[in-house]
Amino acid sequence: MKNLLTRFEDKAPEIVFEWHDTETTARGWVVINSLRGGAAGGGTRMRRGLDRREVESLAKTMEVKFTVSGPAIGGAKSGIDFDPSDPRKDGVLRRWFRAVAPLLRAYYGTGGDLNVDEMTEVVPLTESNGLWHPQEGVVNGHFAADDRERVQRVGQLRLGVAKVVEDTRFTPAPDAKYTVADLITGWGVAESVRHHYRIYGDPAGNHGLGGKRVIVQGWGNVGAAAAYYLAQAGARVVGIIDRDGGILDTAGLDFDEVRTLLLNKDGNALRSDRMRPFTEVHDAIWDLGAEIFLPCAASRLVTREQVDRMVAAGLEVIASGANVPFADDEIFYGPTYEHADKSVSVIPDFIANSGMARAFAQLMEGDVEVSDAAIFGDVSDTVAGALQRCHDRCADHTGVAATAFEIALDQLVPAGERIDD
């Protein structure tokens, strides 16, 4: 598996588009790892200090993700090196999307990502450049849709992704007007944990979530929604660590408290009168005691020391809400990741956080039902299927991520390029 991963990692991306802003120091890249199936997909992120290597690694991660979520296309990613808190952000994004619009029409589909919002930024800014939807390039490049099909598929995308979730099984508050795009990734992360316990059980042979303790890293859309759905299923959130601080509660927050924290978050930030300083939370949270850990913040934050402290305190499952959550130099499976995978069940990011990619894929298919139950149910079924295939190949509680990589690489690395590990 490692040799296959190395070959996949080392292969140069098919297309790299580099951009330098004319009015600020912002620079950006679109990396298209391949045009497998005639198109490529991956979101747009912004952070200060981002570089081309990060975008390349995330594009490769997206290609692996599409083996789970579909469609069978190449991986891509857009990244902009700029401070998202800078008041000039809107202008930077406007000029960026104007520059990449030709790719988005032809064969590249994008969406929201770190510090770039799907509904308030990506959709309106791509529309202002003549695109019906930011996934239009996938509809054109992969499906080769004629005019009638394009209208149908893009219409389903526009309706489904922006749909306000009204079904009380899936929304924390119907009146708050959360959209599918706001909730679907966190839903997939939570469902990956639920299905993991249903399929694998825990080390004691139990198959439910009731009473399981949860630590969440990051309180953006993904972390907050995932925590909400796990609390709804009977788990107890005992710790939250966010950029500016966090909450520690060994008894566990009840469902109403988690729901309130979700409703009250400030953008992607946790806000509560129970917040403690970051340093205090960071010093204590890894020893708090939890069976479930959700890394849902930026990439490459989780260290080996943190993993070992959580394992010593009873950790069973890591569900990767963040792309590439472990602090390794390797694109996919470095020493920290491997150590975690050999210690507990690690559900890889390309399964756990595939919700948005799967929603896009479903809505681009033929005539489909555009409803909360259909969209959320399809993501749950897709995640369940991916974990069941891992279990069918190896039922051990450890090595889940390695098994998932093997299954994905069987689809991505041609037989002629394989060598034995």
Side-chain angles (χ1 to χ4, degrees):
M1 186 275 291
K2 288 186 186 177
N3 282 331
L4 288 177
L5 266 182
T6 298
R7 296 185 75 83
F8 183 67
E9 290 176 359
D10 290 348
K11 188 172 183 178
E14 189 170 338
I15 299 169
V16 178
F17 173 93
E18 183 168 324
W19 170 80
H20 294 262
D21 190 20
T22 57
E23 298 185 25
T24 70
T25 59
R27 55 182 184 156
W29 299 266
V30 178
V31 175
I32 294 175
N33 190 58
S34 82
L35 286 173
R36 185 174 77 114
T44 299
R45 65 170 44 194
M46 176 186 286
R47 75 172 184 85
R48 185 171 55 191
L50 177 146
D51 59 18
R52 171 176 163 169
R53 175 173 169 75
E54 179 178 334
V55 184
E56 288 185 2
S57 70
L58 292 168
K60 290 181 181 291
T61 299
M62 287 303 304
E63 189 141 334
V64 175
K65 182 179 291 186
F66 287 128
T67 68
V68 172
S69 70
I73 60 174
K77 207 73 175 182
S78 289
I80 303 169
D81 175 13
F82 192 70
D83 183 353
S85 66
D86 191 302
R88 297 172 294 174
K89 175 188 179 184
D90 179 70
V92 169
L93 285 175
R94 287 182 183 279
R95 292 185 292 277
W96 165 263
F97 281 114
R98 184 167 61 242
V100 301
L103 281 66
L104 291 168
R105 288 191 189 93
Y107 49 68
Y108 171 42
T110 195
D113 200 279
L114 182 69
N115 298 318
V116 180
D117 187 77
E118 171 82 18
M119 298 312 302
T120 63
E121 294 174 319
V122 178
V123 170
L125 291 176
T126 52
E127 285 183 347
S128 71
N129 284 285
L131 290 155
W132 292 354
H133 191 274
Q135 290 289 317
E136 186 177 333
V138 177
V139 174
N140 291 329
H142 177 66
F143 293 100
D146 60 27
D147 288 343
R148 183 189 63 80
E149 290 174 327
R150 186 182 303 111
V151 169
Q152 179 193 36
R153 294 177 193 270
V154 174
Q156 288 174 176
L157 279 165
R158 289 169 64 97
L159 178 62
V161 175
K163 184 185 183 304
V164 173
V165 181
E166 299 171 327
D167 191 319
T168 55
R169 292 173 294 176
F170 308 116
T171 180
D175 294 340
K177 298 190 182 303
Y178 285 96
T179 67
V180 168
D182 293 326
L183 300 172
I184 199 70
T185 304
W187 163 259
V189 173
E191 285 294 276
S192 77
V193 176
R194 186 177 71 83
H195 286 305
H196 178 275
Y197 278 110
R198 179 181 61 80
I199 294 167
Y200 288 85
D202 66 14
N206 301 309
H207 289 265
L209 280 174
K212 295 292 184 183
R213 298 166 295 173
V214 183
I215 291 172
V216 185
Q217 183 185 47
W219 201 249
N221 281 350
V222 178
Y228 168 80
Y229 292 122
L230 287 177
Q232 186 180 56
R236 295 184 294 128
V237 176
V238 296
I240 302 168
I241 183 166
D242 199 35
R243 180 182 57 219
D244 299 325
I247 296 173
L248 305 173
D249 189 326
T250 56
L253 305 172
D254 64 31
F255 173 64
D256 287 337
E257 289 177 296
V258 175
R259 176 179 176 273
T260 298
L261 290 172
L262 168 59
L263 294 173
N264 290 345
K265 73 184 181 74
D266 180 12
N268 285 327
L270 177 68
R271 292 292 179 262
S272 169
D273 57 9
R274 298 187 60 183
M275 282 183 67
R276 303 186 190 183
F278 177 85
T279 53
E280 178 184 340
V281 175
H282 189 270
D283 287 345
I285 197 168
W286 317 112
D287 306 309
L288 197 60
E291 289 78 24
I292 300 163
F293 173 49
L294 307 180
C296 299
S299 301
R300 305 185 188 278
L301 293 181
V302 182
T303 67
R304 178 168 178 152
E305 179 197 4
Q306 292 163 358
V307 170
D308 286 342
R309 288 167 64 180
M310 287 187 287
V311 170
L315 187 66
E316 297 172 353
V317 177
I318 299 174
S320 304
N323 288 318
V324 198
F326 297 100
D328 292 320
D329 292 332
E330 291 78 4
I331 291 176
F332 289 110
Y333 197 77
T336 305
Y337 200 149
E338 183 175 11
H339 176 68
D341 196 32
K342 289 180 176 179
S343 301
V344 296
S345 295
V346 178
I347 306 172
D349 50 8
F350 58 90
I351 295 177
N353 73 10
S354 63
M356 191 74 256
R358 179 56 207 166
F360 282 147
Q362 182 211 17
L363 292 165
M364 277 188 274
E365 292 173 1
D367 189 14
V368 298
E369 178 185 343
V370 182
S371 69
D372 297 340
I375 296 169
F376 282 75
D378 179 75
V379 168
S380 178
D381 290 345
T382 299
V383 169
L387 287 171
Q388 187 64 59
R389 288 189 289 276
C390 291
H391 184 269
D392 291 346
R393 183 171 291 201
C394 179
D396 293 346
H397 285 85
T398 57
V400 175
T403 301
F405 276 118
E406 289 173 0
I407 293 170
L409 291 167
D410 284 345
Q411 302 173 58
L412 296 176
V413 180
E417 296 182 11
R418 295 166 184 262
I419 56 176
D420 294 333
D421 283 334

